[in-house]
């Protein structure tokens, strides 16, 4: 320790190598004895230079640009919609079977009765949606539940993916069976799906789908009051069901898709 | 500086109470979470990962009260979580898997491409980045899991048994990565391997029977052990000594 300290400007010049040799030696000789000056040289040693050195070394350590796609809006939609197991093999298979049944009915109504298609087609999206999330059916559930897009958001993305496949099949089935207007077959599809989501905020999604599909089967198979055509044609009825279910989903949005295993 | 604070936490599964009145404070650095099987390590991890809802308790993560949905979403963006066991979609490649989580964590799109490769590189899987997940060994899967956890440069990183299934060489590399991550983030690592704690952690928390029975430096845990305590290393002796003390003390 000494009573004398090197001037801050001189220290900075020394740290940056800007002093003449003779001056640098005398500063060094002082630094050997003076802890205070050593400390201040450490903290002020031209931060800018350090930052630059770090930036250069970080830059050189970055991996080479790989084959991750450009992060565009389309890529986002493709990843979020397409990534999930929304298209589970078992479910896709049943969509395909429904397509085959539709074709069978188009050939001859005796091969495939129309009510069978009415039983299956609108229930498919509900089942597919429920299979695409939840702790029992989604292997990534635990990981996704802790992300900001987890919960209701990712569930809606997957519902969209499911409806995109099952919707057209239902419309096609509607056209072939001749029950009601084909386009209106979408309304029970959507209503049953949202109902499943609403119920899925209370119980395991797979059970929710089971309950909804079961209820649908009872409605279809029960002795029809005015023929099954009423089922498809009552658009306002389905709108009501959808609206009520949507309100439940909204109110319980923090619970949708976040059930712990 | 506290960036994770848990106050009066109560968690139960049905009638079984896992935690009652637990308090915990964590600052920047690597924190080890030790405890016997069934002590509640995984439960605590899941609560902090915002996956499991506690019955009661005030939890602040990175200055966000997670009771408020908007704040919770903010906190989740800065969170990384590796569960003890996790599944995967077999058809995903490692790169798609990590990219998926980059999107799920709402990262700025401009950063995603580079961040994905950087995360994969940090766990040493860049050579295998285009392999499908179903072709990976257990250790590689775990490293892919670590990559998705760190892809968003989380300020809070929760790793549940991250070294399980890693070979000794990978374990050493992983500890180096942990120390690096702990420089500017809160890292909580649950483990049953006490040597992980000595090698990589700046602080240790020990839970037993739903209580936090010890919190301090690894050296303090070592100092708690005496020659009479069972264990093959100083920290193991400290560990058993603290557990024994906690169990004999009146609750």
């Amino acid at each position: 320790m000494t009573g004398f300290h090197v001037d801050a400007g001189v220290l900075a010049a020394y740290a940056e190598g800007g002093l003449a040799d003779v001056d640098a030696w005398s500063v060094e000789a002082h630094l050997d004895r003076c802890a205070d000056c050593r400390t201040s040289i450490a903290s002020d040693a031209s931060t800018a230079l350090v930052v630059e050195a770090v930036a250069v070394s970080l830059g050189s350590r970055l991996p080479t640009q790989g084959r991750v796609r450009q992060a565009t809006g389309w890529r986002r939609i493709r990843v979020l919609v397409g990534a999930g197991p929304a298209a589970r093999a078992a479910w896709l298979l049943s969509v395909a079977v429904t397509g085959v049944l539709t074709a069978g009915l188009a050939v001859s109504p005796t091969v495939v009765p129309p009510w069978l298609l009415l039983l299956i087609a609108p229930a498919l999206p509900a089942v597919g949606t429920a299979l695409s999330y939840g702790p029992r059916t989604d292997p990534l559930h635990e990981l996704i539940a802790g992300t900001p897009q987890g919960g209701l958001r990712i569930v809606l993305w997957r519902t969209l993916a499911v409806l995109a496949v099952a919707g057209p099949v239902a419309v096609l089935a509607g056209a072939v069976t001749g029950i009601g207007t084909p386009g209106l077959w979408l309304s029970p599809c959507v209503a049953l799906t949202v109902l499943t989501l609403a119920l899925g905020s209370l119980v395991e999604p797979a059970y929710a789908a089971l309950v909804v599909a079961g209820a649908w089967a009872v409605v279809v198979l029960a002795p029809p009051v005015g023929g099954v055509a009423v089922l498809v044609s009552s658009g306002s009825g389905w709108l009501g069901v959808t609206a009520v279910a949507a309100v439940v989903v909204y109110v319980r949005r923090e619970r949708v898709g976040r059930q712990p295993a | 500086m506290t960036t994770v604070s848990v106050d009066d936490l109560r968690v139960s599964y049905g009638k079984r109470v896992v935690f009652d009145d637990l308090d915990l404070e964590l600052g920047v650095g690597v924190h080890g979470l030790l405890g016997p099987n069934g002590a509640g390590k995984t439960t605590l991890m899941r609560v902090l990962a915002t996956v499991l809802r506690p019955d009661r308790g005030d939890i602040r993560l990175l200055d966000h009260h997670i009771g408020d949905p908007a704040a919770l979403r903010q906190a989740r963006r800065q969170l990384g979580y590796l569960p003890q066991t996790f599944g995967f979609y077999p058809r995903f490649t490692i790169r798609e898997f990590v990219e998926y989580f980059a999107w799920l964590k709402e990262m700025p799109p401009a950063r995603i491409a580079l961040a994905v490769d950087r995360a994969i590189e940090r766990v040493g899987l860049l050579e295998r980045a285009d392999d499908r997940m179903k072709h990976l060994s257990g250790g590689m899967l775990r490293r892919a899991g670590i990559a998705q956890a760190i892809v968003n440069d989380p300020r809070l990183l929760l790793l549940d048994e991250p070294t399980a299934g890693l070979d000794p060489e990978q374990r050493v590399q992983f500890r180096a990565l942990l120390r690096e991550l702990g420089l500017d983030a809160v890292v909580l690592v649950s483990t049953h391997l006490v040597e992980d704690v000595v090698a990589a952690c700046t602080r240790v928390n020990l839970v037993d029977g739903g209580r936090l029975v010890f919190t301090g430096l690894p050296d303090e845990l070592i100092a708690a052990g005496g020659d009479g305590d069972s264990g093959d290393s100083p920290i193991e002796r400290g560990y058993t000594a603290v557990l024994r003390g906690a169990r004999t003390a009146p609750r």
Side-chain angles (χ1 to χ4, degrees), chain A residues 2 7 13 25 29-30 32 50 57 72 99 134 143 148 167-168 181 186 188 192-193 198 212 217 235 250 258:
Chain A
T2 66
D7 174 70
W25 291 334
H30 173 77
D32 275 344
V50 173
S57 79
T72 58
L143 278 171
T181 321
L186 279 180
L192 294 184
T193 305
V212 170
Y250 180 76
R258 293 209 196 273

Side-chain angles (χ1 to χ4, degrees), chain A residues 108-120:
Chain A
S108 155
T110 50
V111 181
V112 183
W115 61 262
L116 185 62
L117 276 184
L118 184 62
L119 184 65
I120 298 173

Side-chain angles (χ1 to χ4, degrees), chain B residues 40-52:
Chain B
K41 299 193 291 289
T42 294
T43 301
L44 183 58
M45 284 286 181
R46 299 184 72 209
V47 168
L48 293 179
T50 72
V51 175
L52 186 67

Side-chain angles (χ1 to χ4, degrees), chain B residues 126-142:
Chain B
L126 204 56
E127 307 292 306
R128 307 287 304 266
D130 290 311
D131 285 14
R132 294 202 193 283
M133 303 282 285
K134 62 181 169 190
H135 295 145
L136 299 183
S137 69
M140 286 180 178
L141 269 181
R142 192 142 291 272

Side-chain angles (χ1 to χ4, degrees), chain A residues 144-153 253-256 258, chain B residues 46-54 58-80 104-106 152 156 158:
Chain A
I144 292 176
T147 65
Q149 282 282 309
L152 181 62
R153 288 185 187 85
R253 62 191 178 282
E254 288 301 314
R255 300 280 175 151
V256 177
R258 293 209 196 273
Chain B
R46 299 184 72 209
V47 168
L48 293 179
T50 72
V51 175
L52 186 67
R53 247 167 223 273
D58 183 42
I59 302 176
R60 273 190 324 128
L61 303 180
L62 312 166
D63 297 325
H64 300 291
H65 273 277
I66 65 168
D68 170 48
L72 177 60
R73 192 171 172 192
Q74 290 289 333
R76 279 176 170 147
R77 286 187 186 153
Q78 299 175 318
L79 209 139
L104 284 173
K105 292 177 182 186
E106 300 180 343
N152 56 334
L156 170 60
L158 305 161

Side-chain angles (χ1 to χ4, degrees), chain A residues 63-64 66-68 71 75-76 79 83 85 138-140 142-143 146 148-149 153-154 158 254-255 258 260-261, chain B residues 46 49 52-53 73 76-77 81 83 87 89 92 95 99-101 103-104 106 109 113 116-118 130 148:
Chain A
T64 50
R67 274 149 291 176
V68 176
R75 179 69 183 158
R76 171 163 183 265
V79 169
D138 181 9
L140 287 186
E142 174 87 2
L143 278 171
Q149 282 282 309
R153 288 185 187 85
I154 194 68
R158 291 182 173 180
E254 288 301 314
R255 300 280 175 151
R258 293 209 196 273
Chain B
R46 299 184 72 209
L52 186 67
R53 247 167 223 273
R73 192 171 172 192
R76 279 176 170 147
R77 286 187 186 153
Y81 172 44
Y89 304 149
F92 263 7
R95 193 173 264 136
E99 185 194 356
Y100 189 41
F101 281 92
W103 285 112
L104 284 173
E106 300 180 343
V116 168
D117 271 12
R118 168 129 179 83
D130 290 311
Q148 69 76 26

Side-chain angles (χ1 to χ4, degrees), chain B residues 77 93 146:
Chain B
R77 286 187 186 153
T93 65
I146 296 168

